[in-house]
Each structure stands twice: as structure tokens, then as C-alpha cells.
Amino acid sequence: MTPADLSRTVLHAVRRAVDEDVLRAPVPARVRVERTRPGGSGDYACAVALQLAGEAGLPALEVARILRERVAAEPGIGRVEVTGPGFLSFTLDAPADRDRAVLDAVRERGLAYGHGDALRGETLRLHHAREVRAAVTADAVRLLLTAQGARVRVGCEGAGVEDAWARLGVRPDAYGPGAPEEAVIRPVPAGAGGAELLARLGPDAARWGLLRPAAHDRAPLGPDLLVQGEANPLFRVRYAYARTRALTRNAAALGFTAEPEGTLPAGPPAGRGPAPHAGQAPYGEPAAAGAEPPAHGSPEPAPLAGRAPYAEHAPHAGPAPYGEPPARALLDLLADHPGVLLAAARHRAPDRVARQLEAVAHAFFDFHDSCPPLPMGDEKPSAAHRSRLALAEAAGTVLAGGLSLLGISAPAHL
């Protein structure tokens, strides 16, 4: 169960309690769950009972007990405690179950992992100034809002869409006439025109440069955005994605695939899995037309400075890797991804998605170097390798999906 799943589960419990007339209070639009702070109990905590107590005319502890009864038996939740003045503290099922739930969710949803219906029924009109950064930001906000189920219409001062904006991916998306809510998108202006940015940076680097800073910060739009090196966050994110695709191709050449859905391995028995179906890319991502797995040893992207392509000198594949710190950090980020996308949509803040992708890329490289997904030397592919490959592919899917919400391409080769 991911944090987003847990939030929806608690919200459903509130709705059930209200429908059963056990709780007389308005159902909130959303329920926020947070990781338990040091010294706290459980994995996550929620203060919804404290929020509802006044409206319900009940002590917060009583509201918490009502909700606890309706949440405790839900799949994925191991234990629910009422702590302090009325907090609900959740202990999720065993880590292996949680890890499998995250990876299964990424596998099932593909590039739509993190999309949802939290904003279904909301209709908005985004209005922005006739300026390139405002236009690109409004377009990214539109993508984020529609991914959460909202209906969005974008308009700007003046008529028509500039040709340069269109080549940057900006397009009005009208669901119909009018909208009950209007939001103004007004970031700090870019100080450059769309045509100039396209000529100097190209559409992907230009969009990243415009969207990565928070709206109240100036957008750095210098040549650093084109540097093919570790210091450039955009290159780092796209290189991480390309690296995950290279791992999949090389694993196929070695005759194994990512671990299928099911129980995570407890040890490292050797074995080879079947090769993937020709043309089928992991997690629902389309393979290039006519693409075939390269022969073992064919060229792949060069590593970032200071990093070995297959983590030379890293520990040999051992027990299932998800308890190791680099894997845990990466899995936690993947589990948090749906919540980040929803928050970015609600706050009209695509920069949150960019920062999330940077964090995922950084965690992926740490994991890749410490827990190599591919066997080395005469080592045979093991269950641990398949598990690690599954995590690497899930990270790649999240990176590609996040970039698509920013209107930026994710090349499989760099």
C-alpha cells in the first residue's frame, strides 16, 4: 500500500462512517497522511480525527476509534493505533508486501502510475500572460490537473498561440465553454522569447529550464542546460532513464527478465528466466518499431563521471535487495510519487515534479552502483538480479512518466 492508497483508504473510512450516520461531519476533500516522525509509532500518521472532532461534536479520541474500526481490516494495513490526543498511526504490512505493492502498481499503470481521480469533477480555467514561461507553466499545470481527473481549459491574453509556443508543446485544451474556477498562472517572466529559447536550447531543455525553478524564482536559461554531464539535472534524469532501458536490453541478451509478479525472493538461487516477447518493453512502454535486443556487449550509454556502468567492485548479488539502504531509498521515492503528482497539481507547481525526478535519478544511481542488477563475469542471473532489475525498470517508468507530465521527452539512448 502506497501513501496515496492509504490516504484514499482513510477517506473512504470517513465516508462510510458518515453514510452509516456514526459520524456527523462533512467529508473532507482529501486526507493527508505523513511519515511518522522519529520516536513516533507506526509507519504513517494522520490527524483527520482532530480535524473532524469539532464538526462531529465528539472528542477526537472517539472519532479516531470510529475510523480505526473501519480501516484496521483493510488489505495492506497491519495495525492501526490511536495515539496522543487522537492521531491515527498506521503500521503497514511486512516490507516485502509493501515493496511488491509499489512495483506491481508501477507495472500495472505504466507511465500513468501516480495518475488518479482525486480532482475528478473539478473544472478549471487557467489564465496566463502572453509570455513564454507563463504559457509553458500553464501547459504543464494542465497536464498535471488532467492526470488527476480535472477538466481544464487554458487561455491567455490576446488571441491565438504563437508558433514558437506550439513548438514548445503548448496547446490550449478546451473541455467545453466556461469553467467555475479560474486560476491565474503568473511566474517570474523568462526574459526571453519562445523563438529565441527554441533556437538556443531546443524544446526539452527550454521546458526544463522554464519549469524546474519555483514560479517565484527566476528561470536560469543558460548553456548549462545543454551540458551532457552529471552537473546538469536534466541530463542526469534522462540518463538515468536511458540507463534503465539499457539494463533491460542487456538482461534480455543474457536471457533473463525482471522478476514477475509474486513473492519476492528470499535468497539468491541461480536460474534463467524466459526472454521477453519481441517488441515488448517493460511496464507498458512502447518499444521502438522493429527494435531487437542488442547482442551482449554492444555499446550502451557511457557512465556518468566517477560511476562504473555495471558497478564494478560492487558486492555480488545476494539476498533480495529491497532491505538494503539504497534500494529502500529508491522504493520510498517510488511509493511517494503519486502523492507528489497530486500535490503538484493542487498547488499548480510543476517544479515539484522536476525535483522529484531529480531525487529518483539520484537514488537510482546509488542503487545501481551498490546493488548491480546485472551479473558480472561468470556469475549467472539470480533471483536477486531479477528483483533488482524490476526495481530499476520501475524507476525508469516513473522517470519517463514524470518527464511526460512536464512535456519533455525521455530518450532510450543518450
Side-chain angles (χ1 to χ4, degrees):
M1 176 174 286
T2 67
D5 293 333
L6 179 57
S7 176
R8 286 192 291 269
T9 297
V10 177
L11 185 58
H12 291 161
V14 173
R15 286 199 184 109
R16 286 198 343 254
V18 171
D19 291 343
E20 295 166 8
D21 204 29
V22 177
L23 192 63
R24 297 183 178 180
V27 178
R30 64 186 185 275
V31 169
R32 183 179 180 184
V33 297
E34 297 179 323
R35 291 192 182 280
T36 303
R37 295 175 184 176
S41 174
D43 300 312
Y44 293 93
C46 174
V48 66
L50 298 170
Q51 297 172 245
L52 297 176
E55 294 277 1
L58 295 171
L61 285 170
E62 180 61 24
V63 175
R65 292 188 190 101
I66 290 171
L67 298 179
R68 179 188 177 281
E69 294 172 3
R70 288 158 177 79
V71 174
E74 291 294 323
I77 296 179
R79 187 174 70 253
V80 184
E81 300 173 89
V82 178
T83 60
F87 292 101
L88 288 169
S89 296
F90 306 94
T91 300
L92 303 185
D93 281 340
D97 294 333
R98 280 178 274 158
D99 298 342
R100 185 170 60 249
V102 171
L103 295 180
D104 285 351
V106 178
R107 180 183 293 274
E108 291 164 9
R109 299 299 307 280
L111 299 184
Y113 173 66
H115 297 200
D117 59 0
L119 303 183
R120 186 171 300 282
E122 294 191 21
T123 52
L124 303 98
R125 178 182 174 86
L126 302 179
H127 185 79
H128 63 83
R130 196 171 185 80
E131 186 272 332
V132 63
R133 189 180 181 194
V136 169
T137 301
D139 186 67
V141 171
R142 173 187 64 82
L143 292 171
L144 289 167
L145 288 167
T146 54
Q148 299 302 324
R151 299 196 304 169
V152 183
R153 186 175 183 177
V154 179
C156 69
E157 298 172 356
V161 175
E162 293 184 10
D163 178 62
W165 297 5
R167 285 184 285 141
L168 279 166
V170 175
R171 63 179 182 85
D173 186 18
Y175 66 83
E181 181 181 344
E182 182 163 326
V184 177
I185 305 298
R186 190 180 291 126
V188 173
E196 176 194 339
L197 292 176
L198 276 167
R200 190 158 49 84
L201 300 173
D204 287 333
R207 283 187 73 103
W208 179 273
L210 293 168
L211 296 172
R212 170 55 181 84
H216 57 267
D217 293 331
R218 294 187 63 83
L221 297 167
D224 290 352
L225 289 165
L226 297 176
V227 171
Q228 301 288 292
E230 191 169 4
N232 178 1
L234 174 59
F235 174 79
R236 188 179 177 84
V237 168
R238 300 212 300 175
Y239 179 80
Y241 171 71
R243 199 59 228 130
T244 67
R245 297 307 304 271
L247 291 172
T248 298
R249 293 191 297 269
N250 286 340
L254 292 172
F256 78 100
T257 60
E259 180 200 32
E261 298 177 22
T263 305
L264 295 177
R272 291 177 179 267
H277 188 276
Q280 178 61 48
Y283 299 103
E285 300 172 41
E292 293 291 340
H296 181 47
S298 60
E300 295 296 355
L304 294 175
R307 295 187 183 275
Y310 297 120
E312 296 174 11
H313 313 300
H316 283 262
Y322 302 140
E324 300 172 16
R328 280 260 56 83
L330 180 54
L331 269 164
D332 287 345
L333 284 167
L334 301 188
D336 289 344
H337 188 67
V340 172
L341 295 187
L342 178 56
R346 289 190 186 281
H347 294 280
R348 326 283 196 255
D351 58 289
R352 296 190 181 199
V353 179
R355 288 196 298 273
Q356 164 77 352
L357 298 182
E358 290 177 31
V360 171
H362 180 80
F364 164 74
F365 284 121
D366 284 347
F367 165 73
H368 176 282
D369 291 358
S370 300
C371 310
L374 299 180
M376 296 177 290
D378 294 332
E379 192 177 17
K380 293 187 180 299
S382 70
H385 290 121
R386 289 192 292 274
S387 296
R388 292 171 178 178
L389 182 61
L391 179 51
E393 289 180 346
T397 300
V398 166
L399 291 169
L403 285 171
S404 71
L405 288 173
L406 298 179
I408 297 172
S409 67
H413 298 270
L414 278 180

